[in-house]
Amino acid sequence: MTNAFEKFYKKSISGRRAVIKKSANLSPSELKLFENALGSQNADQIIENVVGTYELPLGIATNFVVNGRQVVVPMAVEEPSVVAAASNAAKLCKATGGFKTKASKPEMIGQIQLVKVKNPASALKKIIKEKKNLVKIANSRDPLLVKYGGGARDIEAKTIFAGRKKMVIIYLTVDVRDAMGANAVNTMCEAIAPELERMSGGIARLRIISNLAVKRTAKAKAVWKKKDLEKSAKGTGMTGQEIVDAIIESYELAENDIYRCATHNKGIMNGVDAIAVACGQDWRAIEAGAHAFAAKTGQYKSLTKYSKDKQGNLVGEIEIPVAVGIVGGAIKAQPLAQLCVKLTGVKTAQELGEIIAAVGLAQNFAALRALSTEGIQRGHMRLHARMQGEKK
Ligand code: MEV
């Protein structure tokens, strides 16, 4: 089978669009969105005090194989070399089958803060006893979500000490299906708050989604063969084994040094944010979730892990919260974002999350490979320059 994306970077913009048009079967009006994505009139419906729109470059990362399927990865980002590096990382693990991914259920957590509770212990007991009823009240607020197989699932509660005060915090788990979920979760939190006040005798203050989506994560894994790594860094004189070891050492540094870990995880988010922005996601929510997840043990850690397999090849893994949606929210008002989701070929938010995880891993691998071999300035900048120079 010929690969339509072969030497994609060498094509002109219209040549690349022709490839995308054919591969995703785009209509002429869809194609036009690459030139005129939103327009001020639409923008005026989305936020307040609009004076115009703001553009970013939109590129396509190629070579991604995710769970055996070739995936087109749209990336909106202003930083040179991000798209090239992701494409190169994906190419280098094609020989081992690309990325294997797995998403958890699309479950988000909402929080209700109860203050001035006289007897927190007895309030906790009552709330847990009434769990089923509370879940029912929450679900009564979103029959459509329930119809599509989602809805409130569970309630947990705990006491938090804030200085000398005690607060009761309720955690509502909601399966939000293909939505990002903020609207559904916030509505449900507000719906059960009066009941919680009645049961506890306290006052419900904050009623809001948590961006630490620990129950909604995606994992991705890939293997990079040491011989392919050696070939890719020919000029450095390093052997494949040396490169594998150097990448593992760079990961170990991130695991044990917060200064490096911030930069390491930033490199992951270069990829994650770029596809998230292209696909119309709330990337601040994804950023907040990723960094809180990285610190969930109380120490800020790497979102990726690297090890060696029996043959000495490099195994990379990632787990990242993916609060993303393909229906509702901001995406509904952004035709180009909808088109980008279409390009990825995903049918569910879980699949989009899996691709995002794969892109995050690819981006991190690319940075570590460059840093561990020829250095980022030479490595990535040369990749960028080569792509610019080789264009027709
Ligand atoms: C630059 O945007 C990202 C890197 O600094 C990431 C890293 O150091 O791992 C290259």
Side-chain angles (χ1 to χ4, degrees), residues 75 82 261-275 287 290-291 300-306 317-320 356-357 359-365 367-368:
M75 298 179 94
V82 166
C261 200
T263 323
H264 175 102
N265 285 344
K266 188 271 181 181
I268 295 170
M269 301 315 285
N270 273 347
V272 168
D273 288 347
I275 174 169
E287 276 280 340
H291 294 290
Y300 187 71
K301 292 282 187 182
S302 165
L303 290 164
T304 52
K305 268 195 220 142
Y306 290 88
E317 291 168 87
I318 188 170
E319 181 175 11
I320 187 169
I356 289 175
V359 175
L361 177 60
Q363 206 72 56
N364 180 236
F365 160 82
L368 300 190

Side-chain angles (χ1 to χ4, degrees), residues 69-353:
R69 182 172 77 83
Q70 294 224 22
V71 176
V72 169
V73 176
M75 298 179 94
V77 64
E78 85 299 342
E79 186 173 331
S81 87
V82 166
V83 177
S87 305
N88 197 42
K91 188 175 180 182
L92 279 171
C93 67
K94 253 184 161 177
T96 58
F99 299 87
K100 310 275 180 308
T101 65
K102 183 101 187 85
S104 64
K105 288 181 190 164
E107 288 182 346
M108 297 296 293
I109 298 166
Q111 293 184 290
I112 300 114
Q113 175 198 31
L114 295 174
V115 296
K116 302 196 190 306
V117 178
K118 291 232 170 64
N119 187 339
S122 104
L124 284 183
K125 263 197 205 143
K126 269 193 215 159
I127 290 165
I128 295 305
K129 209 168 145 218
E130 291 267 353
K131 209 193 248 208
K132 267 200 180 145
N133 193 32
L134 288 164
V135 165
K136 204 164 140 199
I137 295 170
N139 279 331
S140 70
R141 288 305 175 100
D142 202 334
L144 201 62
L145 181 61
V146 174
K147 189 179 145 199
Y148 284 113
R153 295 285 189 249
D154 195 18
I155 296 236
E156 289 158 83
K158 73 173 181 198
T159 305
I160 280 184
F161 292 89
R164 276 177 298 147
K165 280 187 208 150
K166 267 189 185 174
M167 296 171 189
V168 174
I169 312 299
I170 317 304
Y171 299 83
L172 173 69
T173 301
V174 184
D175 182 324
V176 297
R177 296 284 94 195
D178 288 323
M180 185 273 184
N183 279 334
V185 172
N186 294 344
T187 305
M188 287 182 177
C189 287
E190 290 186 4
I192 63 171
E195 276 303 304
L196 292 168
E197 285 183 330
R198 191 185 55 74
M199 288 174 195
S200 66
I203 298 169
R205 286 263 155 78
L206 307 191
R207 293 146 295 163
I208 187 77
I209 195 165
S210 168
N211 287 128
L212 176 52
V214 285
K215 296 188 177 181
R216 195 186 197 182
T217 66
K219 292 179 182 172
K221 185 175 179 179
V223 176
W224 285 273
K225 282 193 175 165
K226 57 184 178 193
K227 76 168 177 18
D228 293 333
L229 293 178
E230 186 167 321
K231 247 192 263 163
S232 78
K234 239 192 277 159
T236 64
M238 287 172 84
T239 66
Q241 202 59 76
E242 281 168 346
I243 298 171
V244 169
D245 290 339
I247 291 176
I248 292 173
E249 276 164 7
S250 69
Y251 150 68
E252 288 166 347
L253 172 59
E255 277 289 274
N256 293 288
D257 178 84
I258 192 167
Y259 291 91
R260 173 57 205 154
C261 200
T263 323
H264 175 102
N265 285 344
K266 188 271 181 181
I268 295 170
M269 301 315 285
N270 273 347
V272 168
D273 288 347
I275 174 169
V277 171
C279 292
Q281 304 301 315
D282 180 348
W283 77 93
R284 286 88 55 214
I286 297 171
E287 276 280 340
H291 294 290
F293 190 70
K296 71 180 188 307
T297 58
Q299 220 186 336
Y300 187 71
K301 292 282 187 182
S302 165
L303 290 164
T304 52
K305 268 195 220 142
Y306 290 88
S307 57
K308 269 190 259 189
D309 68 9
K310 282 195 190 114
Q311 291 76 42
N313 298 319
L314 182 73
V315 181
E317 291 168 87
I318 188 170
E319 181 175 11
I320 187 169
V322 279
V324 296
I326 59 167
V327 295
I331 192 172
K332 207 165 61 185
Q334 295 187 70
L336 182 57
Q338 287 170 29
L339 179 60
C340 285
V341 171
K342 178 174 172 177
L343 293 183
T344 65
V346 303
K347 295 283 177 284
T348 64
Q350 282 162 294
E351 281 178 76
L352 180 59

